Amino acid sequence: SQDSTVRLWDPNSGACLHFIRTPVGITSLCIDQKTGYVVVGLTDKIIRVYDVVKDIILQENTGHSDVVTCII
């Protein structure tokens, strides 16, 4: 999102369960099925892995030459 946030919603109640603010805009996102970690590609050419339950960044992957537009 351009507002630099990720929000995870409860599909039944519509309540926001988790909220992540990133330092820059988000261009891609993936949620790991096993761990629930949120992996985001950002406009600063970095991929960040978040543990939304603990509200921490687990990993930053740098070195990309352009904006990260896809994560699989």
Side-chain angles (χ1 to χ4, degrees), residues 9-26:
W9 304 92
D10 182 301
N12 298 314
S13 70
C16 182
L17 301 174
H18 299 286
F19 175 85
I20 301 168
R21 178 164 306 279
T22 63
V24 295
I26 299 162

Side-chain angles (χ1 to χ4, degrees), residues 47-66:
I47 296 173
R48 288 186 176 88
V49 181
Y50 290 88
D51 181 330
V52 295
V53 174
K54 295 181 180 177
D55 194 27
I56 58 172
I57 298 172
L58 297 172
Q59 186 175 354
E60 291 187 332
N61 300 321
T62 61
H64 299 279
S65 60
D66 204 350

Side-chain angles (χ1 to χ4, degrees), residues 12-49:
N12 298 314
S13 70
C16 182
L17 301 174
H18 299 286
F19 175 85
I20 301 168
R21 178 164 306 279
T22 63
V24 295
I26 299 162
T27 54
S28 54
L29 180 137
C30 182
I31 300 174
D32 185 288
Q33 292 292 323
K34 286 187 176 183
T35 64
Y37 296 160
V38 174
V39 183
V40 293
L42 302 164
T43 57
D44 62 0
K45 306 175 189 173
I46 296 175
I47 296 173
R48 288 186 176 88
V49 181

Side-chain angles (χ1 to χ4, degrees), residues 2-14:
Q2 291 302 312
D3 71 352
S4 304
T5 63
V6 175
R7 298 167 199 265
L8 301 178
W9 304 92
D10 182 301
N12 298 314
S13 70

